[in-house]
Amino acid sequence: MSGLIDLHAHTNASDGTLTPDQLIGLAQHNGLDALAITDHDTFAGYEAALPIARAAGLDLVRGIELNSRLVLAGDTHPRFAHVLVYFPANEPSAEFKTWLLEERAERRSRNEKLITALQEREVDINLPEVEARGRSITGRPHFARILVEKGYAANFEDAFHKYLGEDAPSYVERVSKTTEEVIQLARLGGGIPVIAHPVRLALPRVAEAALLEHLQKLGLVGLEVYHSEHPPALQAYYRDLAAKLHLLPTGGSDFHGAVKPDIDLGSGRANNVQVPVDFLDGLRRFVQ
Ligand code: AMP
Ligand code: FE
Ligand code: FE
Ligand code: ZN
């Protein structure tokens, strides 16, 4: 028992590259006491991994990562926030699962529009070939890989710059619930909402703290303090901020397998993530 856990990891049920059983194998190999599978928009990876984790004696936590539209006064660009939702001691409600089906239908409709926009730009691409990469959840990273393979973009970043990102002419925005709505849906569904990798909000500290305080009042429960993209000083800052705002600290590597090869499960980037097991105890106590 290492006393270490990882509360943020993806399987190939969304945009990770490891199968659920390979992820469980790696969690054991890396000596983790507990793991949360937090695929984008689906529980399929968690559900496939559950019997394997039980047989292996690994504490597996149900989680999910959802996109949300963050609306801030004065914004001219669309802004998004990822919300992790944990179910460490109970099942999601039927309503929450139905809502996920709607989210996935909206994602598919966005993907259809994105294909049309790319074809209008003379790109040779079709939906079946992209969906073949994405299995249950097809996202822009799957589009990006095909654009690179076919020579339309030099690399992943270039594919977003030229074709898929919000400043590209073929960009298609996903219709997303607001961050406030996602937090409320998570709470109604029996889950624990947590703002993921706050560094990506890219907000000045005062604005960020005001936003988190506002969201806490609306039902936000946690803040992802430890993350592969948070340098040590930032982790310390977020840990203090979480305590100050009465938010539970969480943490994880955001492991995606071979698409982010510098990030390892349980330890992040060059060992910058060490999540203590009492963060999970905190989540479990909240539910009770
Ligand atoms: P989707 O949920 O299909 O809209 O895809 C969102 C995912 O695309 C994010 O989680 C990132 O992994 C990736 N992504 C978004 N913007 C960029 C970007 N500018 N460069 C690289 N990856 C990006
Ligand atoms: Fe991802
Ligand atoms: Fe994320
Ligand atoms: Zn993630």
Side-chain angles (χ1 to χ4, degrees), residues 2 15 44 62 143 170 178-179 182-183 192 205 229 233 242 247 250 254 271:
S2 60
D15 59 349
R62 184 194 286 268
F143 283 78
S170 41
T178 65
T179 309
V182 168
I183 287 168
I192 301 181
R205 284 191 170 178
E229 292 170 28
L247 291 168
T250 74
D254 207 354
N271 262 323

Side-chain angles (χ1 to χ4, degrees), residues 8 10 40 65 82 84 196-197 200 224 227 254 256 260:
H8 190 161
H10 297 263
H40 302 280
E65 186 170 17
H82 285 177
L84 291 159
H197 39 65
R200 286 206 212 149
E224 192 171 48
H227 185 271
D254 207 354
H256 279 72
K260 296 184 183 178

Side-chain angles (χ1 to χ4, degrees), residues 15 40 82 107 110 138-141 156-157 160 174 260:
D15 59 349
H40 302 280
H82 285 177
R107 174 182 279 281
R110 188 283 310 263
T138 299
R140 284 180 291 161
F156 205 79
E157 279 303 320
F160 277 90
R174 241 174 101 187
K260 296 184 183 178

